[in-house]
Amino acid sequence: MFLRKTSLLLLSVFLVPSCLRAQDHVAAKPKPRVIMVGVNGMELDIIRPLLLKGQMPNLSHVIENGAYGKLRTVSGPNCPRVYTTLFTSTNPEEHGVTGFLVGGITANTHMLKEEPIWSMLSKKDITVGMANVPATFPVMPVNGYMISGMLTRGKNCEDGVLCAPKLSEVTGGDAVYPSKMREELLKNVGDFYIDCERMPSAADLKDHEAEVIDHWLAKVQTIRDQQTKLFDYLLTTHPTDFTFLAQSCEDRTGHWLYPITPFNVGYNASINSVRQGAFPDQYIAFDKVLGTILKHVDERTYVVIVSDHGIKPLREFEEKDPHAHADHEKTTPVIAKHDFADGDDVPGSVFVMGPGIKRDFRLMGLAASVYDIAPTLLYIYGIEQPKQMRGRVLSEVFTGTENKVAANK
Ligand SMILES: [Zn+2]
């Protein structure tokens, strides 16, 4: 509520002066540039072999030239719950977006009770661009643009269930800020899908498993291609100081096509032996998206890749630790999940590269957490961490000298 009420006021305060300032101080020092990429549920266990085999060359480039490690997540992690912690560095009970459904209503930005990073950056005259980021619907005013992601509502959407509308099919709020940018996107990028395809139901799959799997995977690739085109367009024609782009098809694939063996719970040969490479292939495809994004990266750009949680095959306490299947279509034969009560079972990951970031540096254990992302971003921009933030600056990823430079900004 706080933000919704104040956002228009904020805009009127910062947008007009920033236009004037651009003309008055042509030679002003450029602000740090950050491109953040969110990959929902990226699982290190799956990507490690791909890295070893050289099948993710772009992520390998970031690892060799930057710092990376596991990212401790919150308990019972799912995308809206964790992304909102990434945005605010507060816990789900504090920020209000506790899951896919909050009080029976699909999580949305009206529920935000803590100030998100895009608002803090906008207030400091930093330009912000966001696309496809989960739990950003309806979009909010920023000093730049915002295109919503997972949980955008539209045609055929039921509360709490994913539905993947196209931009033209969005209902119940704006998916694009500023609203005039919507027409521009439809014209230059096309009518792209927001979010990823919902998973098929058990009834859809029965007796047509291979056909349904192949059709679904082809649709996922179409969506990824559209979103890659969107990202390339935005980075080319609307560059911003802070850009946050996200992908969600990887997680969706893992839930029902994780490469489990007959040993695992839920193994169904007619589904799970059909395309065993389907889930790893998502990360190989993601790496190509990353390659497109990295073309827009120069030596003064920070690249921050974050995964909100991992994903693992079902575990022995599944019975006592009920799975919120509603988040992915109630009847899909789910064989892997991430909303375990102990978030340490499914840590996310973080990869950082940029000016003053250590190279080939690995964060050990669970030292870094999803709470630390927003404070670290503020630190890069020289903005003091507000009191409500529970995380810390990931100072160990910065080299000593550059650390001081950053602190003095
Ligand atoms: Zn998921």
Side-chain angles (χ1 to χ4, degrees), residues 41 78-79 100 150 251-252 255 309 311 327-328 337-338:
N78 61 46
C79 294
F100 283 85
M150 179 193 278
D251 174 71
R252 208 73 50 84
H255 279 281
H309 52 71
I311 183 165
D327 56 26
H328 293 285
K337 70 168 203 166
H338 44 75

Side-chain angles (χ1 to χ4, degrees), residues 131-132 145 147 166-168 176 181-194 222-238:
N132 267 18
Y145 66 85
I147 300 155
K166 288 182 183 172
L167 179 56
S168 67
V176 180
M181 195 178 180
R182 182 178 175 276
E183 290 309 310
E184 178 199 330
L185 294 172
L186 287 168
K187 181 166 170 272
N188 296 307
V189 182
D191 195 11
F192 57 88
Y193 283 98
I194 293 180
T222 299
I223 293 171
R224 183 180 280 111
D225 290 342
Q226 290 179 351
Q227 293 177 354
T228 307
K229 186 179 176 189
L230 171 69
F231 297 165
D232 200 29
Y233 177 79
L234 293 169
L235 290 166
T236 304
T237 60
H238 297 277

Side-chain angles (χ1 to χ4, degrees), residues 97-230:
V97 183
T98 49
F100 283 85
L101 279 172
V102 181
I105 299 167
T106 302
N108 62 67
T109 52
H110 295 293
M111 294 166 179
L112 259 180
K113 293 191 290 193
E114 297 286 352
E115 187 172 15
I117 186 90
W118 60 77
S119 164
M120 293 176 195
L121 296 174
S122 291
K123 276 191 213 167
K124 296 284 185 184
D125 263 356
I126 290 152
T127 54
V128 171
M130 294 173 56
N132 267 18
V133 180
T136 57
F137 179 80
V139 288
M140 296 168 70
V142 284
N143 183 23
Y145 66 85
M146 188 187 292
I147 300 155
S148 61
M150 179 193 278
L151 294 186
T152 298
R153 303 283 88 190
K155 203 175 124 189
N156 302 327
C157 294
E158 303 151 51
D159 259 326
V161 179
L162 302 167
C163 58
K166 288 182 183 172
L167 179 56
S168 67
E169 298 169 342
V170 172
T171 57
D174 284 340
V176 180
Y177 176 89
S179 54
K180 67 177 188 309
M181 195 178 180
R182 182 178 175 276
E183 290 309 310
E184 178 199 330
L185 294 172
L186 287 168
K187 181 166 170 272
N188 296 307
V189 182
D191 195 11
F192 57 88
Y193 283 98
I194 293 180
D195 196 5
C196 194
E197 181 72 350
R198 67 195 299 179
M199 295 182 288
S201 66
D204 292 340
L205 280 159
K206 193 165 170 39
D207 302 327
H208 305 279
E209 288 86 353
E211 189 189 333
V212 171
I213 290 169
D214 286 346
H215 183 262
W216 191 87
L217 290 171
K219 175 86 178 280
V220 160
Q221 189 54 42
T222 299
I223 293 171
R224 183 180 280 111
D225 290 342
Q226 290 179 351
Q227 293 177 354
T228 307
K229 186 179 176 189
L230 171 69

Side-chain angles (χ1 to χ4, degrees), residues 44-45 73 91 108 114 133 141 161 178 211 219 256 276 280 285 318 344 392:
L44 282 169
D45 282 355
T73 191
N91 70 41
N108 62 67
E114 297 286 352
V133 180
V161 179
E211 189 189 333
K219 175 86 178 280
W256 69 291
Q276 285 191 310
E318 163 72 3
D344 287 356
R392 65 179 181 90

